[in-house]
Amino acid sequence: MQSITIVLLGIAGMLLGWFVYSKFIAARIFKLDDSFTTPAHELQDGKDYVPTNKVVLWGHHFTSVAGAAPIVGPAIAVYWGWVPAVLWVVLGTILFAGVHDMGALWASVRHKGKSMGALSESVIGKRSRALFMIVVFLVLLMVNAVFGVVIANSFVSQPTAVFPAWTAIAVALIIGQLLKRNFALIPLCMVGILVLYASVYAGSYIPLSLPESMFGLADTANWIIILFIYAAIASLLPVWMLLQPRDFINGMQLLVGLFLLYGAVFFAMPDITAPAFNTQTAMDTPSIIPLLFVTIACGAVSGFHGIVSSGTSSKQLNKETDVRFVGYLGAVGEGSLALITIVAVSGVALAASPQEWHEIYSHLGAGSVDAFITGGANLIQQGWGLPVEFSSTILAVMVVLFAGTTMDSGVRLQRYIIQEWGEIYNIKALKKGLVATFVAVGSCLLLAFGAGGASGSGGMIIWPLFGSTNQILASLTLLVVSVMLIKMKRPARYTLIPMLFVLVMAFFAGLIKLKEYWLAENYLLVFLDAIVLVVSVLVMLEAWSVIARFRRSESN
């Protein structure tokens, strides 16, 4: 089959979701209202609560939720075959991710920009808040610790990406200052994109790297420390100064990347060499059900999106009707990235024949980011004639910048959670932004170096938990939104059905992993996995109790 068929059908489905389904959900279920005063206006402080143009906010939201996950997950899951991967990405984007992201954003806006953890107390009850926030903190800890390692490894393996990655930060700071002085957005961003791609070209000729050993640590470990120092500073700056312009430029950069990749498919029309359904999997390959639905999270549905929606995006929403543009369209953008990733790692751009493809994908976990960069660069070369080396740098920078923006937002969100704990338990020190940031970064570095030693790769130890934990968080977010809709006497099936599906798949995946960790005698993962599973059950029981009480009061 030609890859263009997959692309046309996938994009058609997502456009149908955007133009039809999202309009229905926005108008009939969430009933978005421009007369509602959003937290960005009600609590405006010039730092975290800032009314923001919906296009700029979409850029922040999109790049914060995207990260490397919509590339990594699909690039791994294609091992089971491209058909199940494509179906889950497309249907998940339309029916799951878009509704989930819109719902989390809307619910938070309706509750003064509270995070989903704090929001669960208002909607379900006090006990659910403490349980919910444990899962949220674990997900943020995993994302921040691991993305620091991912970026550091990319800097070491792709030194040509270092210069453009840091140049993007400098450009964003300048644009943030100019936007504050009412310079026009579009011209500034066009200049910013040109400078970014000029730095990508320059980076191809000026690779930068740290010494292999410095201060008694390897180059990767030193990069991790530098990245967390940067993330700590970035998380304390007002959102208009760095976060918004950086994320918007990265969003525009992604659109350019998607244009190059999708355009290459239309020009080159490469064939698919990967199997539709892989019947030659290794003996130890786990079942596609439920593992497919936790391997591809971002790009189909992801609990981390709910953290971003209710953590930073809800505090910047100018009008409530912008929920649809920021939330649902953000999910469509991520789904389109996941879809083109599947094409890039499934066709002749990566492997000239089915046999060669099976050699690359010899087991579950093979391929991943390297396969995307290799396949994507070859695809761009075939379609546009750009040199493979330059195309590889473009895609490597795209991955690094995405991971970087997710890390920026992740540390800020972790700081919010810690400050909320300070408010809940009346711990004055934790209420302070500087202290909360220090605790957030300190916990990530403690995991990175405490569990991983001098390499700083400790986050990788608990990363296997991310898939099931992240999807359980998505189901809990949908649960909070569903209970809120039920209390408002609105139809809740559009959130309840996705919630039940994701919960069942994630819960069984968690049980499968629990057995694996136990047999491997990895008792840290056994302990953490068990906590997540027990917490999810307790929150569900709490929610069911609230719904039952509400139904009884309605009938009396």
Side-chain angles (χ1 to χ4, degrees), residues 242-302:
L242 176 61
L243 188 70
Q244 287 179 353
R246 171 172 160 80
D247 290 356
F248 185 71
I249 289 173
N250 287 346
M252 296 303 101
Q253 181 250 161
L254 173 63
L255 290 179
V256 172
L258 290 177
F259 175 76
L260 290 174
L261 289 167
Y262 277 101
V265 170
F266 281 92
F267 290 141
M269 296 189 183
D271 289 329
I272 295 295
T273 54
F277 298 92
N278 191 3
T279 58
Q280 301 180 38
T281 56
M283 291 293 292
D284 60 347
T285 303
S287 171
I288 186 173
I289 296 175
L291 270 301
L292 170 70
F293 302 101
V294 298
T295 303
I296 299 179
C298 297
V301 62
S302 168

Side-chain angles (χ1 to χ4, degrees), residues 21 88 95-96 99 475 478-479 482 485 491-505:
Y21 193 60
W88 176 227
L95 302 174
F96 292 73
V99 176
S475 65
L478 286 167
L479 175 65
S482 299
L485 288 171
R493 58 183 175 273
Y494 303 99
T495 51
L496 275 175
I497 293 173
M499 181 273 292
L500 289 171
F501 180 85
V502 174
L503 179 66
V504 169
M505 293 301 163

Side-chain angles (χ1 to χ4, degrees), residues 164-196:
W166 292 103
T167 298
I169 296 171
V171 170
L173 284 168
I174 294 170
I175 289 179
Q177 294 294 329
L178 294 176
L179 285 175
K180 193 69 173 177
R181 288 161 175 76
N182 297 319
F183 278 73
L185 172 65
I186 300 302
L188 279 179
C189 286
M190 289 178 65
V191 172
I193 291 294
L194 289 174
V195 172
L196 177 61

Side-chain angles (χ1 to χ4, degrees), residues 114-351:
K114 287 183 179 179
S115 71
M116 290 309 302
L119 178 57
S120 64
E121 178 184 5
S122 304
V123 178
I124 299 176
K126 184 174 292 186
R127 283 178 296 187
S128 70
R129 175 196 63 196
L131 297 169
F132 205 110
M133 290 179 76
I134 291 173
V135 180
V136 171
F137 187 81
L138 276 176
V139 168
L140 286 172
L141 186 63
M142 293 177 198
V143 168
N144 292 336
V146 171
F147 275 30
V149 177
V150 168
I151 300 169
N153 287 338
S154 297
F155 280 165
V156 172
S157 62
Q158 296 276 350
T160 55
V162 175
F163 179 72
W166 292 103
T167 298
I169 296 171
V171 170
L173 284 168
I174 294 170
I175 289 179
Q177 294 294 329
L178 294 176
L179 285 175
K180 193 69 173 177
R181 288 161 175 76
N182 297 319
F183 278 73
L185 172 65
I186 300 302
L188 279 179
C189 286
M190 289 178 65
V191 172
I193 291 294
L194 289 174
V195 172
L196 177 61
Y197 277 96
S199 71
V200 170
Y201 181 78
S204 302
Y205 295 95
I206 49 172
L208 301 175
S209 59
L210 294 176
E212 291 187 7
S213 179
M214 187 170 62
F215 307 119
L217 296 173
D219 49 0
T220 304
N222 281 307
W223 272 127
I224 291 171
I225 294 171
I226 292 170
L227 287 165
F228 272 108
I229 291 173
Y230 156 74
I233 296 171
S235 72
L236 289 168
L237 294 176
V239 291
W240 62 264
M241 186 177 292
L242 176 61
L243 188 70
Q244 287 179 353
R246 171 172 160 80
D247 290 356
F248 185 71
I249 289 173
N250 287 346
M252 296 303 101
Q253 181 250 161
L254 173 63
L255 290 179
V256 172
L258 290 177
F259 175 76
L260 290 174
L261 289 167
Y262 277 101
V265 170
F266 281 92
F267 290 141
M269 296 189 183
D271 289 329
I272 295 295
T273 54
F277 298 92
N278 191 3
T279 58
Q280 301 180 38
T281 56
M283 291 293 292
D284 60 347
T285 303
S287 171
I288 186 173
I289 296 175
L291 270 301
L292 170 70
F293 302 101
V294 298
T295 303
I296 299 179
C298 297
V301 62
S302 168
F304 180 70
H305 293 201
I307 303 176
V308 176
S309 294
S310 63
T312 55
S313 299
S314 63
K315 295 175 176 62
Q316 302 172 60
L317 201 76
N318 185 40
K319 298 186 297 184
E320 192 178 61
T321 50
D322 292 346
V323 162
R324 175 173 170 258
F325 188 91
V326 175
Y328 200 96
L329 195 58
V332 169
E334 190 173 52
S336 65
L337 176 58
L339 181 65
I340 199 63
T341 296
I342 295 170
V343 171
V345 301
S346 299
V348 295
L350 178 68

Side-chain angles (χ1 to χ4, degrees), residues 245-507:
R246 171 172 160 80
D247 290 356
F248 185 71
I249 289 173
N250 287 346
M252 296 303 101
Q253 181 250 161
L254 173 63
L255 290 179
V256 172
L258 290 177
F259 175 76
L260 290 174
L261 289 167
Y262 277 101
V265 170
F266 281 92
F267 290 141
M269 296 189 183
D271 289 329
I272 295 295
T273 54
F277 298 92
N278 191 3
T279 58
Q280 301 180 38
T281 56
M283 291 293 292
D284 60 347
T285 303
S287 171
I288 186 173
I289 296 175
L291 270 301
L292 170 70
F293 302 101
V294 298
T295 303
I296 299 179
C298 297
V301 62
S302 168
F304 180 70
H305 293 201
I307 303 176
V308 176
S309 294
S310 63
T312 55
S313 299
S314 63
K315 295 175 176 62
Q316 302 172 60
L317 201 76
N318 185 40
K319 298 186 297 184
E320 192 178 61
T321 50
D322 292 346
V323 162
R324 175 173 170 258
F325 188 91
V326 175
Y328 200 96
L329 195 58
V332 169
E334 190 173 52
S336 65
L337 176 58
L339 181 65
I340 199 63
T341 296
I342 295 170
V343 171
V345 301
S346 299
V348 295
L350 178 68
S353 66
Q355 180 181 356
E356 186 179 340
W357 187 90
H358 280 290
E359 290 174 359
I360 295 172
Y361 276 88
S362 58
H363 61 277
L364 184 66
S368 194
V369 173
D370 289 340
F372 167 73
I373 292 175
T374 301
N378 289 333
L379 182 61
I380 292 172
Q381 192 276 329
Q382 293 170 14
W384 296 94
L386 295 177
V388 171
E389 295 78 9
F390 180 62
S391 301
S392 296
T393 301
I394 289 177
L395 296 180
V397 169
M398 188 168 80
V399 171
V400 166
L401 291 182
F402 268 12
T405 51
T406 299
M407 190 176 169
D408 284 2
S409 297
V411 171
R412 185 180 290 263
L413 290 165
Q414 206 170 357
R415 187 247 295 176
Y416 290 162
I417 293 293
I418 293 167
Q419 286 182 294
E420 284 182 359
W421 274 334
E423 293 287 344
I424 293 168
Y425 301 109
N426 197 28
I427 303 174
K428 291 184 179 180
L430 293 184
K431 297 179 185 179
K432 298 177 181 178
L434 190 61
V435 175
T437 300
F438 179 81
V439 173
V441 171
S443 63
C444 293
L445 289 174
L446 183 63
L447 173 62
F449 289 94
S455 68
S457 60
M460 294 297 183
I461 293 174
I462 66 170
W463 182 249
L465 274 175
F466 178 75
S468 55
T469 304
N470 184 51
Q471 297 305 70
I472 284 174
L473 179 59
S475 65
L476 294 181
T477 298
L478 286 167
L479 175 65
V480 171
V481 175
S482 299
V483 173
M484 188 172 164
L485 288 171
I486 290 170
K487 286 184 173 182
M488 298 174 76
K489 299 180 183 179
R490 297 181 188 177
R493 58 183 175 273
Y494 303 99
T495 51
L496 275 175
I497 293 173
M499 181 273 292
L500 289 171
F501 180 85
V502 174
L503 179 66
V504 169
M505 293 301 163
F507 194 83

